[in-house]
Amino acid sequence: MFSPKRAGGGIAAALVLLLAAGCANPGVGSDRDDPTKPVTLRFWHGWSATGEVKAIDDSIRRFEELHPNIHVKAIGNVSDETTNQALRAGGEDAPDVVSSFTTNNVGQYCDSGMWTDLDPFMQKTGLDKHKVFPKTLLEYSSYEGKQCALPLLADAYGMYYNKDAFEEAGIARPPRTMSELVRDAKKLTKRTADGGYERVGFMPNFRMYQNSPDRLFAQWGPTYFDGKGKSRLAAEKTVPEFFRTTDALMKAQGGYASLEKFRTTFGDEMSSQNAFLTGKLAMHMDGEWRGLMLDEAKAEFRWGTAPLPVPDDRPETYGRGFLTGTVVGIAHSSRHQNAAWELVKFLTSDTKQVVRFANAIHNVPSTNAALKSPGLDADRSFRTFLDIARNPYSTALPPSTNGGSYLVSLRDFAYNVEAGKVPDLRAGLRALDAQIDADTLQSKS
């Protein structure tokens, strides 16, 4: 799952991983082990918060009860960079089972061979991945036909909105189209006497919290790469539409400079001074975890959730959203791959386990059966995100062998666009495509 407190490090970790992946020479493990024999597996994961660690430890305890011959030694709070270094080094202390919060890196995991192909294990044990997992989640856990990872809970992005502010502004429901978003954001924005802000309707600026440009851009359903893996953002007709919309949002609420100045007054995303929690934002893009945090913080206003708006000419896609999540796989260097598969299979495909884990850390379940399970703790606000995860128009980022490098390039480009530093958008996009393609070539050298 994607935990917000790890958001800042995800892209940085992707870049470090990118530098190392090009010369990877993963150790050769074994898929000839007997999974019924006594064995100790090393499982490295990134969860670090007390409740999260307890949830994964409880999951391991349940697995060991079903497989008394397999002992799992779990190590948490491990970054992608650390895992990658260990897999490159190999040896007895390297992990057997690995997980990552950064789906952007799946292309590297598969392409480098450091994470083993799971299709033979699924075929051998009769797990039909197309029946078990939603299509979009399978897509972000594979690369060029190689299923080197499986989804382990998911995150869906939608809108949180302040019902009291909506009532005050005379707005009956959350916006469903981008033009409605611009209109409502303007109505909900409250200025101060000195020209500042008391509240912004919807902050579009890309440096704020979860506002990485790719997440809102998902509402257009863009295609990042062509069939040959080359960047095609300059040819993507939705890119200008996307930037026109964010520009309209900024102009309707006072302009980029004023909004950016107000953004710098926001408290830390994970603190009690979060801008939505303190009433500085009337609408806010965020993931499913935010609802639990609002409840725990005892927000002083009524709030609700809804899908993010969609382009005006695609109203049938309303309900869609951006999806990401945790992926888990087996190290190619593991000499206990059949035993490791038993753990991966349990964590990712056992319906009862997936539901219990999702309930424990308030993430979206990652199997079709778990999404429909009556055991799922699905309050009304959380159901919004379950519906987004099920929506056939919802999208995830395409995996690439250059990991998250193309997203870093897109993000930096978007910073310049919103600040008015890109006079010719098409020319800028052509240069962006060239940069992304060069990074891809570099990652393969």
Side-chain angles (χ1 to χ4, degrees):
M1 64 102 201
F2 180 92
S3 180
K5 52 187 164 293
R6 287 179 286 270
I11 290 179
L15 284 179
V16 176
L17 184 59
L18 171 64
L19 295 175
C23 54
N25 184 23
V28 177
S30 173
D31 62 357
R32 304 299 179 186
D33 61 301
D34 184 347
T36 66
K37 299 291 186 182
V39 65
T40 295
L41 296 177
R42 292 171 296 278
F43 174 34
W44 288 14
H45 63 80
W47 287 284
S48 59
T50 302
E52 295 172 338
V53 173
K54 180 181 184 304
I56 197 66
D57 287 346
D58 287 346
S59 299
I60 290 171
R61 175 182 51 77
R62 291 190 287 268
F63 170 77
E64 291 178 336
E65 288 174 355
L66 294 172
H67 301 268
N69 63 298
I70 303 177
H71 174 64
V72 180
K73 182 179 180 181
I75 298 178
N77 198 22
V78 183
S79 69
D80 282 9
E81 177 190 358
T82 300
T83 298
N84 187 57
Q85 290 172 347
L87 294 182
R88 284 168 52 80
E92 291 299 319
D93 293 327
D96 298 288
V97 177
V98 288
S99 70
S100 172
F101 299 127
T102 313
T103 58
N104 312 337
N105 290 337
V106 167
Q108 290 179 350
Y109 303 147
C110 295
D111 198 42
S112 68
M114 283 196 178
W115 288 32
T116 196
D117 187 359
L118 299 179
D119 276 321
F121 295 93
M122 287 186 275
Q123 292 166 6
K124 185 163 53 177
T125 56
L127 190 153
D128 187 337
K129 64 182 181 181
H130 299 292
K131 291 182 178 179
V132 173
F133 303 103
K135 180 177 180 290
T136 303
L137 275 59
L138 276 181
E139 290 173 350
Y140 72 53
S141 54
S142 65
Y143 180 68
E144 293 188 344
K146 188 175 183 179
Q147 194 77 48
C148 71
L150 286 175
L152 177 57
L153 302 192
D155 291 303
Y157 281 76
M159 174 182 285
Y160 288 82
Y161 66 99
N162 185 322
K163 291 184 175 182
D164 292 344
F166 268 61
E167 184 176 302
E168 175 189 309
I171 302 173
R173 59 164 175 78
R176 294 175 184 169
T177 65
M178 291 298 168
S179 63
E180 289 180 354
L181 177 62
V182 174
R183 179 200 67 196
D184 292 349
K186 183 176 182 178
K187 284 184 181 180
L188 290 160
T189 297
K190 296 179 70 174
R191 306 297 295 261
T192 58
D194 62 359
Y197 293 96
E198 179 181 330
R199 182 181 70 212
V200 162
F202 180 87
M203 176 68 78
N205 297 34
F206 296 127
R207 286 180 169 86
M208 195 204 79
Y209 298 167
Q210 298 294 318
N211 279 21
S212 178
D214 48 285
R215 290 169 191 162
L216 184 58
F217 193 22
Q219 298 308 105
W220 278 261
T223 300
Y224 285 82
F225 299 100
D226 64 19
K228 296 180 179 179
K230 288 187 173 294
S231 180
R232 60 174 306 278
L233 290 170
E236 177 59 47
K237 294 181 180 179
T238 63
V239 175
E241 295 177 27
F242 167 61
F243 284 121
R244 280 196 296 269
T245 298
T246 56
D247 184 60
L249 278 165
M250 288 185 288
K251 288 178 178 176
Q253 299 173 99
Y256 168 76
S258 295
L259 289 171
E260 189 66 6
K261 182 179 179 181
F262 187 53
R263 183 192 65 81
T264 63
T265 69
F266 293 173
D268 183 80
E269 178 185 5
M270 305 307 296
S271 75
S272 61
Q273 296 305 303
N274 173 283
F276 181 71
L277 178 61
T278 56
K280 290 185 175 182
L281 298 173
M283 296 180 285
H284 177 49
M285 178 175 67
D286 217 329
E288 77 285 339
W289 61 81
R290 181 61 56 187
L292 181 62
M293 301 175 88
L294 290 170
D295 284 339
E296 290 175 346
K298 296 180 172 57
E300 296 181 356
F301 54 87
R302 295 174 301 135
W303 57 273
T305 58
L308 287 162
V310 296
D312 288 53
D313 61 348
R314 275 153 274 182
E316 74 281 1
T317 66
Y318 181 69
R320 78 186 313 170
F322 175 75
L323 302 181
T324 184
T326 299
V327 293
V328 62
I330 298 172
H332 190 272
S333 57
S334 171
R335 297 187 178 276
H336 314 290
Q337 292 180 9
N338 287 312
W341 167 245
E342 293 298 324
L343 176 59
V344 170
K345 182 175 66 171
F346 173 76
L347 292 175
T348 62
S349 66
D350 183 284
T351 302
K352 186 179 294 186
Q353 160 59 24
V354 173
V355 168
R356 292 178 73 172
F357 193 31
N359 285 343
I361 64 175
H362 208 67
N363 273 185
V364 174
S366 45
T367 69
N368 291 314
L371 281 166
K372 300 173 184 176
S373 171
L376 194 61
D377 182 13
D379 59 75
R380 180 173 297 180
S381 64
F382 189 53
R383 280 201 294 270
T384 296
F385 297 93
L386 298 181
D387 290 341
I388 291 170
R390 297 187 191 105
N391 190 288
Y393 292 105
S394 290
T395 59
L397 286 168
S400 168
T401 191
N402 81 1
S405 179
Y406 77 94
L407 296 175
V408 176
S409 299
L410 172 62
R411 181 196 63 187
D412 291 342
F413 179 76
Y415 289 167
N416 287 329
V417 172
E418 70 178 356
K421 297 179 181 179
V422 182
D424 187 332
L425 183 63
R426 284 297 182 192
L429 288 169
R430 287 194 294 270
L432 176 61
D433 283 339
Q435 179 183 343
I436 292 172
D437 290 341
D439 290 341
T440 299
L441 284 174
Q442 177 69 24
S443 71
K444 291 182 175 181
S445 63

